[in-house]
Amino acid sequence: MSQNPANMSTRPRLRGPGSSPESGEVILELSSLRLREPRKRWRSAFIAIYFTRALRSLVREIIGNTTETLINVKGIDENVMEDRSFASVYREKLVSMMKDKRLDHLHELGGAERIAAELMSNPETGIRGDEEDLRRRRAAFGENKYHRPPPKSFLYFVVDSLKDLTIIILLACASLSLAFGIKEEGPSEGWYDGGSISIAVFMVVMVSAVTNFRQSRQFHELSKVSENIQINVVRNGRRHHISIFDIVVGDVVSLKIGDQIPADGLFLDGHSLQVDESSMTGESDHIEINKESHPFLVSGGKVVDGYGRMLVISVGMNTAWGELMSSISHDNNELTPLQSRLSKLTSAIGKAGSLIAFFVLVVLLVRYFTGNTVDENGKRQYIGKKTKVDDIMNGVVHIISVAVTIIVVAIPEGLPLAVTLTLAYSMKRMMADQAMVRRLSACETMGSATIICTDKTGTLTMNQMKVVKFTLGKEAILGNKVAVINPGIIELIHQGVALNTTASVYKADSLSEPEFSGSPTEKAILYWAVMELNMDMAKMKPSYEILHVETFNSQKKRSGALVRKKSTNTVHAHWKGAAEIILRMCSKYYDKSGAVKTLDEDDRKAVLHKIEAMASQALRCIAFAHLEVDHQTLIEEKLIFLGVVGLKDPCREGVKEAIDLCRRAKVKIKMITGDNILTAKAIALECGILESSTLTDSELVEGVQFRNFGYEERMEKIGQIKVMARSSPADKLLMIKSLKEKGEVVAVTGDGTNDAPALKEANVGLAMGIQGTEVAKESSDIIIMDDNFKSVVSILKWGRCVYNNIQKFIQFQLTVNVAALIINLVAACSAGEVPLTAVQLLWVNLIMDTLGALALATDRPTDELMDKPPIGWTQPLITNVMWRNLSFQALYQVTVLLTLQFKGKSIFKVKELVKNTIIFNTFVLCQVFNEFNARKLEKKNVFQGIIRNRLFLWIVAATIILQVLMVELLRKFADTERLNWTQWAICVVIAALSWPLAWVVKCIPVPEKPFLDYLKRKRS
């Protein structure tokens, strides 16, 4: 049915009784319906159609209208709601208001509560949050994601590989060789030399591009995981923990210290909320958030103090943060310390290789132009003026290509690739071991860590708190607490628990079990109050008005709330925190009858004795204090002591074994905690950080003592300290700085916002993934996803494994480099030719650079890595053990291959081409067998654990298969000749002899002092 404007006046209208159509009050009038068709049997059908259209029109008018209405949209069937219900103009106004922070626009729109209603959200219960509701909101306002710059394509890496100077020279030589070959011998035969080099170069380029492309994708995926922050929202009255990407407009988000603001939004309520917007504005000053002057919360900001709730207004690309992030490239161009050191090594080897290649080039050119080189038929290649120009050019191009290929083999380009591979592989595997690497260099640095400073709660313990003891005043309360404690005291405890907390309780109905959310400590106390003291959180909140809040922080170790009881209009100050700190704030105490008594020195000692008794049983002690005041100031003295709860947090399974493993690896463990020194001592003894048989007073210290030490005293005692209790973030930072001054490599764990400076100062900052704030995570190098100390030890192993894998590859590659350079140099100088062609050398380059890196860089860490001390930062990359191994292997290969070069024809009674094929085959197989030797730098059993590294076995198998194809089938391409079974057996036996040789060589002792140090001393 048409709906043209002419018929609008005859349509059924929804309007207020006795009012104009512009009135905001609405009722439905059907009496004015007039049907054009007189037949009565259609009457009911027409009524239904008109009613439906009228209802849909009403919904559109209500949602699009910013004036007040008297209709409850919740009563309308959601099936008639369309995405157009969120008006486009209104959306743009909200986005503009948030980006420009326009208070006048906010007032025009009726404030945060009015906007929440227009967005079909409730400040208390949030949005409905069902799938249909979320779909409509995403369709209307977009998703909370920004447009990432596209990752580099495969073609980019192909082009990048082709930019290498040696590759360009080889391709130029191949093109010239191809042109001359086709001109001389025709297309059918003349393409072999130039075409073979081109194909070999193409293979090297493609393999390098594929490897780099895969690693780039892997880093890209890991960066997306690191950005997947978890946020607390309220939906349908229940608190949910969801991904930042799942936030929608209308969501009510709960914010606390350390949280990242997930989207642009408006402040609803909260206390002492301060935000750091330096990531957006560059201003370091913290912004006080309130309803009156600054209610705007922008995406990307960090909460540095207080807590609150916000209404999400703009998400994704509609925020300034989204626009900023979409313009930033996420490519990881970080150069790690190990990569920097390897670049220098690569440069030094490359220079030596280039010098040798130049020398070979000169020798071959001189021999060619003096008529000392012959072709396959024994004829001289250069006969003065009789030689054709094309032949001369072809000969020179061939010599240049050989020289350039020697450079390709000499330059260990696989070293940087091996680092990238092993780091990428380690990052992927570490994710499976509950560790997410944010900075690549941290993987390497962990291998050098000499000290780990760890938190207690959640790292050494399970972070599963439970109240197991309660003391009221001086008396321990057992059994039914409600029955023995005065109801007035119970009410005060209810106030102190319910109104001075950042946790919450949700109960769907009177019959359902309550659900607790918040930090483990807060949840445990709430659970105790609800289950044992019959506290009703739903009744407590509306009965009181919170006037002022001082949020908990690790510096003060306490939190306070000033509240007004609405029924009596009385004001109460409540404090909660570390037991001995709260006790110092009190001058009186309650007994269980409700009587207030003076807290004299004897009583104070009695209470303190109770606290110490709890702490010595590894309980966390949290005390409560109260005072009724006649003013609106949260006082901090002369309070009335209520009582203490003791919370049990058991040690994690396997922590003691992990600490023993660190001790075996010569890595010291220091526990830094904010808990009572007796609690810290009990946990440290249980975990094995302290040993009761050797325990001394110098091993335990409180933060206040440590910070009051003089510089010399601190530096003297810091090595003995194993536990620091009642420490502040400043004490932790001072500890780390002092340890670094003593030359230690320090890894530190942290979870709070105030831990950020310490995490940044440490050589490796380890943030907790579960309890850690976003500020702590952003300041860290690695995030421990399960908050478990065992994962810290796993990272330590991976750090050592990365370094060990690189050393394996260095030994393997330098053996090939040394052998190939010496063979080509000696052969060129003595015989005027090199035994290995350009294509064969490129194939060797492919084996050692890419396949070798893949095979040796992917070994997983073993416990034997923890039998060695930490890797020193100044320790040379090539150790004495590596020099010994590679020297003997290179000497063996050079001796065998030069023997084959000069005596091979007479020994095997074969032609020149077959002899060269045997040399090529033996050389490649030597590298395959030497890959096994490189797996273990010191151990004689090189096959230990080889089954676990299937990738190594697959690569070895693939290399052998490809080598067989090169020799037997691709003869024209590789310039080889088929070998018989005997010749193959000889090649394999010669190569296999490297295994017993390696076993014998590893029996030769080497000094611990690096060889290069002796050379430096002689020079000086």
Side-chain angles (χ1 to χ4, degrees):
M1 298 177 69
S2 63
Q3 295 185 18
N4 57 62
N7 292 332
M8 291 300 285
S9 60
T10 62
R11 283 176 47 186
R13 300 289 295 169
L14 289 160
R15 64 175 187 265
S19 64
S20 67
E22 287 77 18
S23 171
E25 300 177 7
V26 291
I27 61 168
L28 185 65
E29 281 189 5
L30 296 178
S31 58
S32 60
L33 270 174
R34 294 293 182 267
L35 300 177
R36 297 178 181 176
E37 177 59 50
R39 285 176 291 184
K40 293 182 180 180
R41 65 179 182 220
W42 293 101
R43 188 176 192 84
S44 57
F46 270 98
I47 290 174
I49 292 168
Y50 272 85
F51 178 82
T52 303
R53 289 174 57 193
L55 193 58
R56 292 180 66 180
S57 176
L58 171 67
V59 170
R60 291 194 192 101
E61 288 178 15
I62 291 171
I63 303 304
N65 188 10
T66 59
T67 59
E68 191 172 350
T69 60
L70 300 177
I71 187 167
N72 183 5
V73 294
K74 291 183 180 177
I76 300 173
D77 184 359
E78 63 181 357
N79 291 324
V80 301
M81 304 289 283
E82 297 180 356
D83 294 340
R84 283 165 34 190
S85 58
F86 299 108
S88 172
V89 176
Y90 187 58
R91 289 203 307 270
E92 291 170 4
K93 193 164 187 178
L94 286 177
V95 171
S96 172
M97 175 190 73
M98 287 305 307
K99 286 186 177 179
D100 300 333
K101 297 184 179 180
R102 295 289 299 270
L103 272 173
D104 54 339
H105 285 187
L106 177 61
H107 295 148
E108 283 176 21
L109 294 170
E113 285 75 12
R114 171 65 194 174
I115 292 173
E118 296 291 348
L119 293 173
M120 299 183 207
S121 180
N122 185 300
E124 297 300 324
T125 60
I127 61 173
R128 285 204 319 270
D130 54 71
E131 285 301 320
E132 179 59 22
D133 185 32
L134 296 176
R135 184 198 65 75
R136 288 194 314 105
R137 292 176 185 276
R138 291 191 181 109
F141 299 101
E143 294 184 283
N144 198 30
K145 296 177 182 177
Y146 54 83
H147 305 315
R148 288 168 163 267
K152 291 174 180 175
S153 66
F154 176 70
L155 184 61
Y156 170 87
F157 292 102
V158 172
V159 173
D160 191 56
S161 298
L162 288 170
K163 289 178 182 177
D164 187 271
L165 181 61
T166 52
I167 295 293
I168 293 171
I169 296 172
L170 279 174
L171 286 174
C173 291
S175 301
L176 290 171
S177 179
L178 190 65
F180 290 128
I182 291 174
K183 185 178 179 182
E184 287 290 314
E185 303 175 31
S188 58
E189 296 289 333
W191 70 273
Y192 286 129
D193 286 344
S196 299
I197 295 173
S198 299
I199 293 170
V201 169
F202 175 76
M203 287 175 60
V204 171
V205 167
M206 292 306 292
V207 170
S208 175
V210 167
T211 306
N212 288 327
F213 176 68
R214 285 190 62 197
Q215 304 324 315
S216 173
R217 287 282 170 163
Q218 190 168 323
F219 287 133
H220 186 72
E221 291 302 315
L222 283 171
S223 72
K224 285 203 293 187
V225 173
S226 67
E227 291 167 5
N228 188 14
I229 299 166
Q230 296 299 302
I231 300 294
N232 283 313
V233 300
V234 178
R235 288 179 177 175
N236 204 24
R238 179 180 297 184
R239 186 177 286 197
H240 296 267
H241 206 52
I242 66 171
S243 165
I244 190 173
F245 302 128
D246 295 332
I247 296 283
V248 295
V249 170
D251 262 325
V252 174
V253 179
S254 300
L255 299 171
K256 62 182 184 302
I257 293 178
D259 282 352
Q260 177 174 317
I261 298 171
D264 286 358
L266 293 172
F267 178 70
L268 289 173
D269 55 50
H271 295 278
S272 309
L273 189 63
Q274 290 188 2
V275 174
D276 176 9
E277 294 183 358
S278 58
S279 58
M280 287 296 299
T281 64
E283 298 292 334
S284 58
D285 293 339
H286 298 160
I287 298 170
E288 187 85 36
I289 302 296
N290 54 61
K291 277 193 171 184
E292 291 75 30
S293 60
H294 203 294
F296 302 105
L297 291 153
V298 298
S299 179
K302 306 291 188 303
V303 178
V304 294
D305 198 10
Y307 63 88
R309 296 184 311 130
M310 65 172 273
L311 174 71
V312 175
I313 300 297
S314 306
V315 294
M317 293 303 295
N318 288 326
T319 67
W321 178 255
E323 291 176 356
L324 175 66
M325 294 302 290
S326 65
S327 64
I328 297 174
S329 172
H330 292 267
D331 294 325
N332 196 314
N333 297 318
E334 175 191 10
L335 198 63
T336 69
L338 187 55
Q339 284 174 324
S340 299
R341 293 176 71 184
L342 284 174
S343 294
K344 294 178 183 177
L345 179 63
T346 302
S347 177
I349 297 171
K351 287 175 183 176
S354 300
L355 191 63
I356 291 173
F358 178 75
F359 186 75
V360 169
L361 175 66
V362 172
V363 169
L364 292 180
L365 285 174
V366 169
R367 290 183 65 90
Y368 177 81
F369 284 109
T370 54
N372 289 315
T373 55
V374 295
D375 59 17
E376 295 173 358
N377 301 318
K379 294 180 181 180
R380 281 181 14 180
Q381 291 181 316
Y382 183 76
I383 320 172
K385 295 179 180 179
K386 295 180 181 180
T387 310
K388 296 178 181 179
V389 175
D390 288 350
D391 291 339
I392 294 173
M393 291 298 294
N394 207 13
V396 171
V397 166
H398 173 72
I399 291 170
I400 293 173
S401 65
V402 170
V404 173
T405 308
I406 290 173
I407 296 175
V408 173
V409 175
I411 297 174
E413 292 171 328
L415 288 179
L417 175 64
V419 178
T420 305
L421 279 173
T422 192
L423 287 174
Y425 176 79
S426 301
M427 286 175 70
K428 185 177 179 181
R429 291 293 182 183
M430 286 166 77
M431 277 295 288
D433 288 347
Q434 302 299 316
M436 186 177 74
V437 179
R438 297 185 71 251
R439 292 184 179 87
L440 278 177
S441 56
C443 291
E444 301 167 11
T445 310
M446 274 304 287
S448 302
T450 57
I451 289 179
I452 297 174
C453 296
T454 177
D455 290 327
K456 175 185 77 69
T457 305
T459 309
L460 299 174
T461 61
M462 295 179 69
N463 213 10
Q464 295 176 359
M465 302 281 188
K466 184 179 180 181
V467 176
V468 294
K469 287 196 174 184
F470 173 56
T471 299
L472 180 68
K474 297 191 299 179
E475 187 178 353
I477 306 297
L478 305 173
N480 187 345
K481 298 168 181 59
V482 176
V484 298
I485 301 174
N486 181 282
I489 303 301
I490 293 287
E491 184 185 353
L492 290 177
I493 295 173
H494 285 179
Q495 290 177 19
V497 172
L499 307 175
N500 185 16
T501 183
T502 55
S504 63
V505 182
Y506 173 78
K507 200 170 182 180
D509 52 61
S510 58
L511 299 177
S512 61
E513 289 292 318
E515 298 175 14
F516 301 88
S517 58
S519 70
T521 303
E522 297 278 17
K523 284 195 295 184
I525 294 173
L526 270 183
Y527 180 87
W528 168 75
V530 170
M531 305 307 286
E532 295 191 29
L533 301 182
N534 300 332
M535 184 181 80
D536 189 338
M537 194 78 161
K539 290 181 180 178
M540 289 294 297
K541 291 279 187 181
S543 303
Y544 294 84
E545 179 189 355
I546 298 176
L547 304 174
H548 180 69
V549 168
E550 185 169 315
T551 53
F552 179 88
N553 64 57
S554 50
Q555 188 75 35
K556 293 184 176 181
K557 303 189 187 306
R558 64 186 185 184
S559 64
L562 189 70
V563 301
R564 183 178 65 84
K565 188 175 182 180
K566 294 178 180 178
S567 60
T568 61
N569 204 33
T570 53
V571 179
H572 302 262
H574 283 276
W575 285 94
K576 174 181 72 178
E580 65 271 28
I581 292 174
I582 297 297
L583 183 63
R584 285 200 293 267
M585 299 164 64
C586 298
S587 59
K588 298 177 182 178
Y589 71 95
Y590 286 107
D591 65 12
K592 63 182 179 182
S593 66
V596 178
K597 298 185 177 180
T598 302
L599 190 66
D600 59 28
E601 197 59 34
D602 290 337
D603 293 330
R604 193 179 296 276
K605 286 180 180 177
V607 175
L608 197 58
H609 179 71
K610 293 279 187 185
I611 294 169
E612 289 173 351
M614 286 188 194
S616 63
Q617 297 171 42
L619 300 184
R620 169 175 279 188
C621 300
I622 305 295
F624 297 88
H626 157 267
L627 187 66
E628 185 175 330
V629 295
D630 56 2
H631 48 78
Q632 295 193 0
T633 304
L634 186 57
I635 63 171
E636 303 179 15
E637 57 184 11
K638 296 182 180 180
L639 304 174
I640 304 173
F641 189 73
L642 275 170
V644 183
V645 291
L647 296 96
K648 180 69 175 174
D649 186 15
C651 280
R652 287 185 182 273
E653 187 179 348
V655 162
K656 196 174 190 310
E657 292 76 9
I659 288 172
D660 289 341
L661 195 61
C662 288
R663 193 174 285 118
R664 194 175 98 195
K666 306 293 187 295
V667 177
K668 298 173 185 175
I669 307 297
K670 297 182 185 291
M671 185 173 84
I672 303 176
T673 177
D675 273 340
N676 182 294
I677 194 166
L678 295 174
T679 307
K681 178 182 176 181
I683 292 292
L685 284 168
E686 190 177 344
C687 293
I689 294 174
L690 296 175
E691 298 177 52
S692 55
S693 57
T694 59
L695 183 61
T696 61
D697 291 340
S698 61
E699 293 178 328
L700 291 101
V701 69
E702 287 193 332
V704 64
Q705 292 175 262
F706 182 74
R707 78 178 78 109
N708 290 331
F709 284 154
Y711 177 79
E712 291 182 1
E713 185 182 8
R714 187 185 307 120
M715 298 304 283
E716 179 187 343
K717 293 183 176 180
I718 196 169
Q720 302 169 30
I721 296 171
K722 293 184 178 178
V723 174
M724 184 162 71
R726 281 289 177 247
S727 64
S728 67
D731 298 329
K732 183 186 280 191
L733 181 61
L734 181 60
M735 169 77 81
I736 293 160
K737 285 182 176 178
S738 302
L739 288 170
K740 287 177 71 177
E741 282 184 41
K742 285 183 72 76
E744 305 285 1
V745 179
V746 186
V748 64
T749 66
D751 55 9
T753 301
N754 292 331
D755 286 330
L759 290 169
K760 286 182 177 179
E761 178 66 31
N763 299 105
V764 181
L766 305 166
M768 300 296 106
I770 299 173
Q771 289 302 316
T773 64
E774 288 309 315
V775 173
K777 290 175 187 176
E778 285 207 354
S779 302
S780 69
D781 304 299
I782 299 174
I783 298 174
I784 311 298
M785 306 301 285
D786 60 355
D787 291 12
N788 195 336
F789 186 78
K790 286 175 70 176
S791 298
V792 177
V793 178
S794 176
I795 295 168
L796 188 66
K797 282 187 190 177
W798 273 111
R800 295 187 174 197
C801 182
V802 166
Y803 200 89
N804 188 248
N805 285 348
I806 297 302
Q807 287 187 313
K808 293 175 189 176
F809 182 68
I810 289 173
Q811 177 182 300
F812 168 71
Q813 188 167 55
L814 289 188
T815 304
V816 186
N817 289 139
V818 171
L821 286 174
I822 293 175
I823 291 165
N824 282 299
L825 177 63
V826 173
C829 293
S830 58
E833 61 181 12
V834 291
L836 301 176
T837 67
V839 172
Q840 291 169 356
L841 285 170
L842 285 170
W843 169 233
V844 172
N845 182 70
L846 184 65
I847 291 173
M848 69 179 189
D849 270 4
T850 305
L851 299 181
L854 276 170
L856 294 171
T858 53
D859 259 344
R860 298 201 69 178
T862 57
D863 281 349
E864 68 185 49
L865 289 170
M866 305 296 275
D867 292 330
K868 301 176 183 178
I871 303 156
W873 277 13
T874 57
Q875 181 178 320
L877 278 173
I878 308 174
T879 63
N880 290 354
V881 169
M882 293 166 65
W883 279 120
R884 177 197 64 192
N885 295 345
L886 74 87
S887 298
F888 278 95
Q889 287 294 335
L891 181 63
Y892 170 70
Q893 291 181 22
V894 168
T895 304
V896 169
L897 296 176
L898 286 179
T899 301
L900 292 175
Q901 169 69 13
F902 296 111
K903 298 293 182 180
K905 286 172 69 175
S906 59
I907 293 173
F908 296 110
K909 306 287 191 295
V910 293
K911 296 178 182 179
E912 182 73 18
L913 187 57
V914 175
K915 180 206 73 174
N916 287 341
T917 303
I918 291 173
I919 292 173
F920 169 57
N921 201 34
T922 303
F923 186 59
V924 170
L925 291 176
C926 278
Q927 311 323 316
V928 172
F929 281 84
N930 197 35
E931 274 187 285
F932 287 86
N933 294 329
R935 288 190 68 249
K936 304 289 179 182
L937 298 178
E938 296 184 61
K939 291 211 171 213
K940 295 173 184 175
N941 182 9
V942 297
F943 304 106
Q944 183 182 354
I946 198 167
I947 301 300
R948 290 197 296 269
N949 192 348
R950 293 183 180 178
L951 181 60
F952 179 90
L953 297 175
W954 278 111
I955 288 171
V956 168
T959 305
I960 293 172
I961 291 169
L962 289 171
Q963 178 63 18
V964 172
L965 292 175
M966 290 278 283
V967 172
E968 298 297 323
L969 299 179
L970 303 174
R971 288 173 294 156
K972 295 272 189 181
F973 168 72
D975 200 16
T976 57
E977 189 61 53
R978 280 188 175 177
L979 302 180
N980 58 38
W981 286 104
T982 304
Q983 291 162 347
W984 265 103
I986 291 169
C987 293
V988 171
V989 169
I990 292 172
L993 284 173
S994 65
W995 283 352
L997 174 66
W999 193 92
V1000 172
V1001 166
K1002 286 174 183 176
C1003 295
I1004 302 172
V1006 292
E1008 290 186 9
K1009 189 174 182 179
F1011 289 141
L1012 293 177
D1013 285 0
Y1014 293 105
L1015 296 174
K1016 290 176 183 176
R1017 180 177 293 180
K1018 285 182 180 180
R1019 286 178 184 175
S1020 60

